[in-house]
Amino acid sequence: MNNLPKYKRVLMKLSGEAVSGGDKGVIDFEKMAGIADSLKKCVDGGVQVAVVFGAGNIYRGARGVAVERVTGDSMGMLATIINSLALKNALVQAGVKAVVLNSFCVEPVAETYTRDRAVEYMEKGTVVILSGGTGNPYFSTDSSAMLRAAEIEADVLLMAKFVDGIYTADPNVDKTAVKLDTITYHEILEKELKAIDLTASALGVSTKIPTKVFKLAEPIHLYQVMFEDVPGTDIVG
């Protein structure tokens, strides 16, 4: 493996489903430990790492059920804190300094996010886990990841998904779907592709933060995407 990282500062977006425990519960702590080990390799290799965790393994927000949207989204934001604290625990056990910064006050569970605080921690080699979304309803964790990536001036937003990039259609439904090596945020909006949240794409147009969408089949892929060329789709401004 190449010992030189491709990026100096990254924001990694992880889905809650990446650590879903199934019969083991909402969190598979073995999967979480694997993610922590890979992130440790990245930090040891000189990369400044921030992470935004989704919460789909716990709660995705209200959709068509007897919970109104604002309340449902608030429940989803709280669920991200649980995943973030679990990741912090795994990182500390792996010997990595880590801190959870939340978008709204939940002290003493987590510190409150500010851009300067996040950058200061990252520059000291601490993994910064950004929870609570944007702190507002109607915004997904994809959108909060794009916003935070711009605020901390990340070199790239890395989105770990369950497919190896962005396709012209859902490859699980349309067998003629073609994988795209490169696409612009404008094209995602025009074609209404669902690979990333459309609000996040709109933010990408203005922030011009490059994004790489790749498949997270094994935790080591979190390391490889920062140090090697891996399959995926590059989204550019």
Side-chain angles (χ1 to χ4, degrees), residues 183-195:
I183 192 170
T184 68
Y185 293 110
H186 282 290
E187 290 172 326
I188 291 176
L189 292 168
E190 289 171 358
K191 299 175 182 179
E192 296 187 354
L193 299 178
K194 305 300 183 183

mmCIF file with all atom_site columns, all heavy atoms in Angstrom, residues 183-195:
data_model
loop_
_atom_site.group_PDB
_atom_site.id
_atom_site.type_symbol
_atom_site.label_atom_id
_atom_site.label_alt_id
_atom_site.label_comp_id
_atom_site.label_asym_id
_atom_site.label_entity_id
_atom_site.label_seq_id
_atom_site.pdbx_PDB_ins_code
_atom_site.Cartn_x
_atom_site.Cartn_y
_atom_site.Cartn_z
_atom_site.occupancy
_atom_site.B_iso_or_equiv
_atom_site.pdbx_formal_charge
_atom_site.auth_seq_id
_atom_site.auth_comp_id
_atom_site.auth_asym_id
_atom_site.auth_atom_id
_atom_site.pdbx_PDB_model_num
ATOM 1   N N   . ILE A 1 183 ? -19.191 12.605 -12.399 1.00 0.00 ? 183 ILE A N   1
ATOM 2   C CA  . ILE A 1 183 ? -20.436 13.318 -12.645 1.00 0.00 ? 183 ILE A CA  1
ATOM 3   C C   . ILE A 1 183 ? -20.354 14.652 -11.915 1.00 0.00 ? 183 ILE A C   1
ATOM 4   O O   . ILE A 1 183 ? -19.574 14.803 -10.963 1.00 0.00 ? 183 ILE A O   1
ATOM 5   C CB  . ILE A 1 183 ? -21.659 12.501 -12.163 1.00 0.00 ? 183 ILE A CB  1
ATOM 6   C CG1 . ILE A 1 183 ? -22.968 13.099 -12.689 1.00 0.00 ? 183 ILE A CG1 1
ATOM 7   C CG2 . ILE A 1 183 ? -21.666 12.378 -10.644 1.00 0.00 ? 183 ILE A CG2 1
ATOM 8   C CD1 . ILE A 1 183 ? -24.187 12.212 -12.440 1.00 0.00 ? 183 ILE A CD1 1
ATOM 9   N N   . THR A 1 184 ? -21.137 15.629 -12.355 1.00 0.00 ? 184 THR A N   1
ATOM 10  C CA  . THR A 1 184 ? -21.163 16.912 -11.673 1.00 0.00 ? 184 THR A CA  1
ATOM 11  C C   . THR A 1 184 ? -22.399 16.989 -10.767 1.00 0.00 ? 184 THR A C   1
ATOM 12  O O   . THR A 1 184 ? -23.367 16.240 -10.934 1.00 0.00 ? 184 THR A O   1
ATOM 13  C CB  . THR A 1 184 ? -21.214 18.084 -12.669 1.00 0.00 ? 184 THR A CB  1
ATOM 14  O OG1 . THR A 1 184 ? -22.486 18.071 -13.350 1.00 0.00 ? 184 THR A OG1 1
ATOM 15  C CG2 . THR A 1 184 ? -20.090 17.986 -13.683 1.00 0.00 ? 184 THR A CG2 1
ATOM 16  N N   . TYR A 1 185 ? -22.347 17.904 -9.814  1.00 0.00 ? 185 TYR A N   1
ATOM 17  C CA  . TYR A 1 185 ? -23.507 18.111 -8.951  1.00 0.00 ? 185 TYR A CA  1
ATOM 18  C C   . TYR A 1 185 ? -24.707 18.585 -9.768  1.00 0.00 ? 185 TYR A C   1
ATOM 19  O O   . TYR A 1 185 ? -25.853 18.195 -9.494  1.00 0.00 ? 185 TYR A O   1
ATOM 20  C CB  . TYR A 1 185 ? -23.183 19.146 -7.863  1.00 0.00 ? 185 TYR A CB  1
ATOM 21  C CG  . TYR A 1 185 ? -22.155 18.682 -6.863  1.00 0.00 ? 185 TYR A CG  1
ATOM 22  C CD1 . TYR A 1 185 ? -20.883 19.240 -6.822  1.00 0.00 ? 185 TYR A CD1 1
ATOM 23  C CD2 . TYR A 1 185 ? -22.452 17.678 -5.947  1.00 0.00 ? 185 TYR A CD2 1
ATOM 24  C CE1 . TYR A 1 185 ? -19.932 18.822 -5.904  1.00 0.00 ? 185 TYR A CE1 1
ATOM 25  C CE2 . TYR A 1 185 ? -21.511 17.248 -5.021  1.00 0.00 ? 185 TYR A CE2 1
ATOM 26  C CZ  . TYR A 1 185 ? -20.249 17.822 -5.002  1.00 0.00 ? 185 TYR A CZ  1
ATOM 27  O OH  . TYR A 1 185 ? -19.315 17.398 -4.089  1.00 0.00 ? 185 TYR A OH  1
ATOM 28  N N   . HIS A 1 186 ? -24.444 19.418 -10.765 1.00 0.00 ? 186 HIS A N   1
ATOM 29  C CA  . HIS A 1 186 ? -25.523 19.899 -11.642 1.00 0.00 ? 186 HIS A CA  1
ATOM 30  C C   . HIS A 1 186 ? -26.229 18.727 -12.317 1.00 0.00 ? 186 HIS A C   1
ATOM 31  O O   . HIS A 1 186 ? -27.467 18.689 -12.400 1.00 0.00 ? 186 HIS A O   1
ATOM 32  C CB  . HIS A 1 186 ? -24.971 20.853 -12.704 1.00 0.00 ? 186 HIS A CB  1
ATOM 33  C CG  . HIS A 1 186 ? -24.695 22.236 -12.203 1.00 0.00 ? 186 HIS A CG  1
ATOM 34  N ND1 . HIS A 1 186 ? -25.695 23.106 -11.846 1.00 0.00 ? 186 HIS A ND1 1
ATOM 35  C CD2 . HIS A 1 186 ? -23.521 22.892 -11.998 1.00 0.00 ? 186 HIS A CD2 1
ATOM 36  C CE1 . HIS A 1 186 ? -25.163 24.252 -11.439 1.00 0.00 ? 186 HIS A CE1 1
ATOM 37  N NE2 . HIS A 1 186 ? -23.845 24.150 -11.513 1.00 0.00 ? 186 HIS A NE2 1
ATOM 38  N N   . GLU A 1 187 ? -25.458 17.750 -12.792 1.00 0.00 ? 187 GLU A N   1
ATOM 39  C CA  . GLU A 1 187 ? -26.048 16.601 -13.485 1.00 0.00 ? 187 GLU A CA  1
ATOM 40  C C   . GLU A 1 187 ? -26.874 15.738 -12.533 1.00 0.00 ? 187 GLU A C   1
ATOM 41  O O   . GLU A 1 187 ? -27.926 15.210 -12.915 1.00 0.00 ? 187 GLU A O   1
ATOM 42  C CB  . GLU A 1 187 ? -24.947 15.762 -14.134 1.00 0.00 ? 187 GLU A CB  1
ATOM 43  C CG  . GLU A 1 187 ? -24.287 16.431 -15.320 1.00 0.00 ? 187 GLU A CG  1
ATOM 44  C CD  . GLU A 1 187 ? -23.064 15.682 -15.829 1.00 0.00 ? 187 GLU A CD  1
ATOM 45  O OE1 . GLU A 1 187 ? -22.343 15.080 -15.006 1.00 0.00 ? 187 GLU A OE1 1
ATOM 46  O OE2 . GLU A 1 187 ? -22.849 15.688 -17.054 1.00 0.00 ? 187 GLU A OE2 1
ATOM 47  N N   . ILE A 1 188 ? -26.420 15.610 -11.286 1.00 0.00 ? 188 ILE A N   1
ATOM 48  C CA  . ILE A 1 188 ? -27.202 14.860 -10.302 1.00 0.00 ? 188 ILE A CA  1
ATOM 49  C C   . ILE A 1 188 ? -28.549 15.530 -10.083 1.00 0.00 ? 188 ILE A C   1
ATOM 50  O O   . ILE A 1 188 ? -29.599 14.872 -10.019 1.00 0.00 ? 188 ILE A O   1
ATOM 51  C CB  . ILE A 1 188 ? -26.433 14.748 -8.970  1.00 0.00 ? 188 ILE A CB  1
ATOM 52  C CG1 . ILE A 1 188 ? -25.213 13.840 -9.143  1.00 0.00 ? 188 ILE A CG1 1
ATOM 53  C CG2 . ILE A 1 188 ? -27.343 14.208 -7.863  1.00 0.00 ? 188 ILE A CG2 1
ATOM 54  C CD1 . ILE A 1 188 ? -24.331 13.754 -7.908  1.00 0.00 ? 188 ILE A CD1 1
ATOM 55  N N   . LEU A 1 189 ? -28.541 16.864 -9.997  1.00 0.00 ? 189 LEU A N   1
ATOM 56  C CA  . LEU A 1 189 ? -29.783 17.599 -9.790  1.00 0.00 ? 189 LEU A CA  1
ATOM 57  C C   . LEU A 1 189 ? -30.689 17.512 -11.014 1.00 0.00 ? 189 LEU A C   1
ATOM 58  O O   . LEU A 1 189 ? -31.902 17.286 -10.889 1.00 0.00 ? 189 LEU A O   1
ATOM 59  C CB  . LEU A 1 189 ? -29.471 19.064 -9.471  1.00 0.00 ? 189 LEU A CB  1
ATOM 60  C CG  . LEU A 1 189 ? -28.797 19.325 -8.120  1.00 0.00 ? 189 LEU A CG  1
ATOM 61  C CD1 . LEU A 1 189 ? -28.281 20.753 -8.048  1.00 0.00 ? 189 LEU A CD1 1
ATOM 62  C CD2 . LEU A 1 189 ? -29.773 19.050 -6.979  1.00 0.00 ? 189 LEU A CD2 1
ATOM 63  N N   . GLU A 1 190 ? -30.107 17.668 -12.194 1.00 0.00 ? 190 GLU A N   1
ATOM 64  C CA  . GLU A 1 190 ? -30.894 17.638 -13.419 1.00 0.00 ? 190 GLU A CA  1
ATOM 65  C C   . GLU A 1 190 ? -31.541 16.276 -13.637 1.00 0.00 ? 190 GLU A C   1
ATOM 66  O O   . GLU A 1 190 ? -32.701 16.168 -14.061 1.00 0.00 ? 190 GLU A O   1
ATOM 67  C CB  . GLU A 1 190 ? -30.005 17.987 -14.620 1.00 0.00 ? 190 GLU A CB  1
ATOM 68  C CG  . GLU A 1 190 ? -29.574 19.445 -14.662 1.00 0.00 ? 190 GLU A CG  1
ATOM 69  C CD  . GLU A 1 190 ? -28.522 19.712 -15.730 1.00 0.00 ? 190 GLU A CD  1
ATOM 70  O OE1 . GLU A 1 190 ? -28.109 18.735 -16.408 1.00 0.00 ? 190 GLU A OE1 1
ATOM 71  O OE2 . GLU A 1 190 ? -28.128 20.879 -15.890 1.00 0.00 ? 190 GLU A OE2 1
ATOM 72  N N   . LYS A 1 191 ? -30.805 15.209 -13.359 1.00 0.00 ? 191 LYS A N   1
ATOM 73  C CA  . LYS A 1 191 ? -31.303 13.849 -13.587 1.00 0.00 ? 191 LYS A CA  1
ATOM 74  C C   . LYS A 1 191 ? -32.005 13.273 -12.375 1.00 0.00 ? 191 LYS A C   1
ATOM 75  O O   . LYS A 1 191 ? -32.537 12.161 -12.433 1.00 0.00 ? 191 LYS A O   1
ATOM 76  C CB  . LYS A 1 191 ? -30.141 12.939 -13.994 1.00 0.00 ? 191 LYS A CB  1
ATOM 77  C CG  . LYS A 1 191 ? -29.467 13.378 -15.292 1.00 0.00 ? 191 LYS A CG  1
ATOM 78  C CD  . LYS A 1 191 ? -28.239 12.530 -15.594 1.00 0.00 ? 191 LYS A CD  1
ATOM 79  C CE  . LYS A 1 191 ? -27.553 13.021 -16.877 1.00 0.00 ? 191 LYS A CE  1
ATOM 80  N NZ  . LYS A 1 191 ? -26.339 12.226 -17.184 1.00 0.00 ? 191 LYS A NZ  1
ATOM 81  N N   . GLU A 1 192 ? -31.995 14.035 -11.248 1.00 0.00 ? 192 GLU A N   1
ATOM 82  C CA  . GLU A 1 192 ? -32.634 13.616 -10.006 1.00 0.00 ? 192 GLU A CA  1
ATOM 83  C C   . GLU A 1 192 ? -32.165 12.224 -9.580  1.00 0.00 ? 192 GLU A C   1
ATOM 84  O O   . GLU A 1 192 ? -32.961 11.365 -9.180  1.00 0.00 ? 192 GLU A O   1
ATOM 85  C CB  . GLU A 1 192 ? -34.162 13.658 -10.132 1.00 0.00 ? 192 GLU A CB  1
ATOM 86  C CG  . GLU A 1 192 ? -34.699 15.065 -10.357 1.00 0.00 ? 192 GLU A CG  1
ATOM 87  C CD  . GLU A 1 192 ? -36.216 15.123 -10.321 1.00 0.00 ? 192 GLU A CD  1
ATOM 88  O OE1 . GLU A 1 192 ? -36.853 14.052 -10.237 1.00 0.00 ? 192 GLU A OE1 1
ATOM 89  O OE2 . GLU A 1 192 ? -36.760 16.235 -10.383 1.00 0.00 ? 192 GLU A OE2 1
ATOM 90  N N   . LEU A 1 193 ? -30.867 12.013 -9.652  1.00 0.00 ? 193 LEU A N   1
ATOM 91  C CA  . LEU A 1 193 ? -30.293 10.750 -9.210  1.00 0.00 ? 193 LEU A CA  1
ATOM 92  C C   . LEU A 1 193 ? -30.339 10.682 -7.692  1.00 0.00 ? 193 LEU A C   1
ATOM 93  O O   . LEU A 1 193 ? -30.111 11.667 -6.994  1.00 0.00 ? 193 LEU A O   1
ATOM 94  C CB  . LEU A 1 193 ? -28.852 10.620 -9.712  1.00 0.00 ? 193 LEU A CB  1
ATOM 95  C CG  . LEU A 1 193 ? -28.685 10.637 -11.240 1.00 0.00 ? 193 LEU A CG  1
ATOM 96  C CD1 . LEU A 1 193 ? -27.214 10.555 -11.615 1.00 0.00 ? 193 LEU A CD1 1
ATOM 97  C CD2 . LEU A 1 193 ? -29.461 9.491  -11.883 1.00 0.00 ? 193 LEU A CD2 1
ATOM 98  N N   . LYS A 1 194 ? -30.593 9.509  -7.156  1.00 0.00 ? 194 LYS A N   1
ATOM 99  C CA  . LYS A 1 194 ? -30.831 9.354  -5.719  1.00 0.00 ? 194 LYS A CA  1
ATOM 100 C C   . LYS A 1 194 ? -29.602 8.872  -4.960  1.00 0.00 ? 194 LYS A C   1
ATOM 101 O O   . LYS A 1 194 ? -29.707 8.521  -3.784  1.00 0.00 ? 194 LYS A O   1
ATOM 102 C CB  . LYS A 1 194 ? -31.984 8.370  -5.501  1.00 0.00 ? 194 LYS A CB  1
ATOM 103 C CG  . LYS A 1 194 ? -33.274 8.740  -6.232  1.00 0.00 ? 194 LYS A CG  1
ATOM 104 C CD  . LYS A 1 194 ? -33.819 10.095 -5.794  1.00 0.00 ? 194 LYS A CD  1
ATOM 105 C CE  . LYS A 1 194 ? -35.136 10.406 -6.485  1.00 0.00 ? 194 LYS A CE  1
ATOM 106 N NZ  . LYS A 1 194 ? -35.664 11.734 -6.132  1.00 0.00 ? 194 LYS A NZ  1
ATOM 107 N N   . ALA A 1 195 ? -28.448 8.866  -5.605  1.00 0.00 ? 195 ALA A N   1
ATOM 108 C CA  . ALA A 1 195 ? -27.245 8.336  -4.949  1.00 0.00 ? 195 ALA A CA  1
ATOM 109 C C   . ALA A 1 195 ? -26.883 9.132  -3.711  1.00 0.00 ? 195 ALA A C   1
ATOM 110 O O   . ALA A 1 195 ? -26.447 8.583  -2.710  1.00 0.00 ? 195 ALA A O   1
ATOM 111 C CB  . ALA A 1 195 ? -26.078 8.315  -5.926  1.00 0.00 ? 195 ALA A CB  1
#
